[in-house]
Each structure stands twice: as structure tokens, then as C-alpha cells.
Amino acid sequence: MHKKTFFSFIPAAILCVGLLTGNCQNKNANKNQRDKEGFTSIFDGKTLKGWEGDPKYWRVEEGALVGEITPTTLLKTNSFIIWRGGTPADFEFKGSFKITTDGNTGINYRSEQLTDIPFALKGYQADIDGKIRYTGQNYEERGRTTLAYRGEIVTVNTQENAENPESFRANVKNNAWQARQVTGSLGKSDSLQTLIKSNDWNDFHIVVKGNRLQHYVNGVLMSDVTDKDTVNRKMSGLLGVQVHVGPPMKVQYRNLRIKQL
């Protein structure tokens, strides 16, 4: 019979050099914080810890971050719940969303918070809606409006006469930035739409590196923006998710995790 030693009674996960040096606990803690791809969870599924928003519209329910508008809580301006863990510059952001048919939401990043409107963000947005008209596109909230529609590869340029404040407004027409150039296609918008599920869970993946912004839904690239507008673009900022002005709606987010590059 094999003779057991003292260490054979200790779980293998504990056996490391840190048993003697005191580093084992720290290594385990880091392992718990990051998954195998290097992503860190930013929503615990139980509380709103690390997030700030109007509790009238945001809560946690069955492991999901829930934004809801009811007939008695209709909005006058879009409202966000904002992650207070930093102002990411280059990063990848993953998670899942589910939205009701009449819902309208979005994931804002590299954004700034307005001071005159509660929980309002200005900046890039991965657009999401229940009718799947806009889901996947790149929309700049309170800014240059649509930068890329679903299926587009776009280079965004600075407007002419950028030093003139009026030139900004002149470059926004039909809810789209005119100083943008479509340089390629990812597929027809209608075809890509069929890959997004209605009233069900969809996975999103946002990849932001330098001035390139990519929005994926269910593993498929939906829009690809290279922002060369050095006057209006932002290179870092806040992260948050939105409930939009409109009819009663409900949106759920879960498994939110980030990898800063």
C-alpha cells in the first residue's frame, strides 16, 4: 500500500510555490477575476455594484441587468446606467442582450456624461432595437449621429471648415454624418438582420482599437468604422447601456465582461 504523506491530503489547487511565499492566494484571485480569454466580469449578476443609474429604470433580475420603461415611467430623455470602473480606451467588450419588440437601447463607449441632464451620455454607440432595424450599426449619441449602417465598412472624415461651429450641424443630414465614406461591404443589411434573434438572447462583441470600431452580433461583424475625424472623435471614455425615449420596453443584459488592451 502506498504510504500517504501530509501533502497528499491537500487539494492540488493549493499546491504551488505560493504555499511557501504567500503568493498562491493572489494568483488564485487573479484567475477568478479573468476568464481564459483575458476578460474580466463587470457585472456580478446580483447587484448594481460598480454601476450608476436611475433606479426607476434599472434593476437586477434573474442574473440580468434590466432596463425597463413602464406606462407610468415614460422618459423625456434617454437614460443610461453607467459603469464606474474606468474610462476604457482600447478594449473588447462582450455580453448578451435581449429586448422586447418595441424596445430601443444601445451600448455606449468612449463617451462623456452630460452635466445638465441626469444619466445622459454622449459618444459612440453600438445600436440595438427590438425591431432589428438598427441593431449592429454605429451611432454616435448626441453627436455625429449615424457613422455606419449595418453591413457597412466606413471611413469617417472631418467636416469641411471644422473651425466653424455651424459646419458640424451642416454635416448632419437625415440622421447621418455626411463626412463619411463607405469603403466596403460586410453584406446586405437585410441578410445580416436574419442572423439577429427577436425577443431572444443575442451575443454582442465590441472591438475598439485606436480609431477602428467594430460591432459584432452573434459572432458576425455588422459594422466596421475607421474614425479619421480628429476634431470630433474620442479615444477613451465612459461605458454604459441605455433605455430610450419611446413606448414601454424592457431590455436585459448579462455576462458583461471587458478586456482592456
Side-chain angles (χ1 to χ4, degrees), residues 130-232:
K131 290 183 172 64
I132 321 180
R133 295 172 179 170
Y134 314 114
T135 303
Q137 73 176 20
N138 191 314
Y139 182 86
E140 189 174 68
E141 175 87 358
R142 297 181 178 274
R144 293 167 291 177
T145 64
T146 303
L147 302 180
Y149 293 102
R150 183 171 56 228
E152 290 184 339
I153 302 172
V154 171
T155 296
V156 177
N157 299 302
T158 309
Q159 74 271 27
E160 294 182 6
N161 303 316
E163 67 281 357
N164 181 355
E166 293 299 322
S167 72
F168 183 93
R169 283 188 285 270
N171 265 272
V172 177
K173 294 180 180 178
N174 300 320
N175 206 33
W177 185 245
Q178 300 302 294
R180 70 188 199 98
Q181 180 183 5
V182 179
T183 59
S185 174
L186 301 167
K188 292 184 178 180
S189 179
D190 290 347
S191 297
L192 293 171
Q193 182 186 48
T194 65
L195 304 176
I196 304 169
K197 293 172 282 187
S198 178
N199 280 302
D200 202 352
W201 288 101
N202 294 276
D203 295 331
F204 71 83
H205 183 190
I206 300 170
V207 181
V208 178
K209 296 179 182 179
N211 66 343
R212 190 175 184 187
L213 320 167
Q214 296 175 298
H215 298 172
Y216 293 80
V217 180
N218 294 328
V220 178
L221 183 58
M222 296 285 171
S223 64
D224 191 336
V225 168
T226 299
D227 194 349
K228 294 185 177 181
D229 182 353
T230 56
V231 173
N232 299 299

Side-chain angles (χ1 to χ4, degrees), residues 34-166:
R34 295 186 179 183
D35 64 19
K36 61 183 179 180
E37 295 179 320
F39 285 82
T40 301
S41 174
I42 61 172
F43 170 59
D44 63 18
K46 300 176 181 178
T47 70
L48 296 178
K49 182 180 179 181
W51 294 79
E52 185 179 11
D54 189 335
K56 183 188 298 184
Y57 302 106
W58 297 100
R59 67 183 186 274
V60 178
E61 183 178 276
E62 296 180 348
L65 175 61
V66 176
E68 186 169 20
I69 300 172
T70 69
T72 59
T73 62
L74 296 178
L75 283 166
K76 293 183 178 180
T77 59
N78 300 339
S79 186
F80 289 80
I81 188 165
I82 303 166
W83 181 55
R84 292 305 188 189
T87 52
D90 289 2
F91 63 92
E92 294 186 36
F93 186 38
K94 286 185 175 184
S96 302
F97 67 86
K98 181 179 180 181
I99 186 168
T100 54
T101 302
D102 289 331
N104 193 334
T105 184
I107 303 165
N108 263 54
Y109 57 92
R110 285 188 178 178
S111 296
E112 58 182 285
Q113 185 172 1
L114 302 187
T115 57
D116 56 340
I117 302 174
F119 303 112
L121 289 180
K122 172 185 177 181
Y124 299 112
Q125 182 180 109
D127 212 343
I128 298 168
D129 72 300
K131 290 183 172 64
I132 321 180
R133 295 172 179 170
Y134 314 114
T135 303
Q137 73 176 20
N138 191 314
Y139 182 86
E140 189 174 68
E141 175 87 358
R142 297 181 178 274
R144 293 167 291 177
T145 64
T146 303
L147 302 180
Y149 293 102
R150 183 171 56 228
E152 290 184 339
I153 302 172
V154 171
T155 296
V156 177
N157 299 302
T158 309
Q159 74 271 27
E160 294 182 6
N161 303 316
E163 67 281 357
N164 181 355
E166 293 299 322

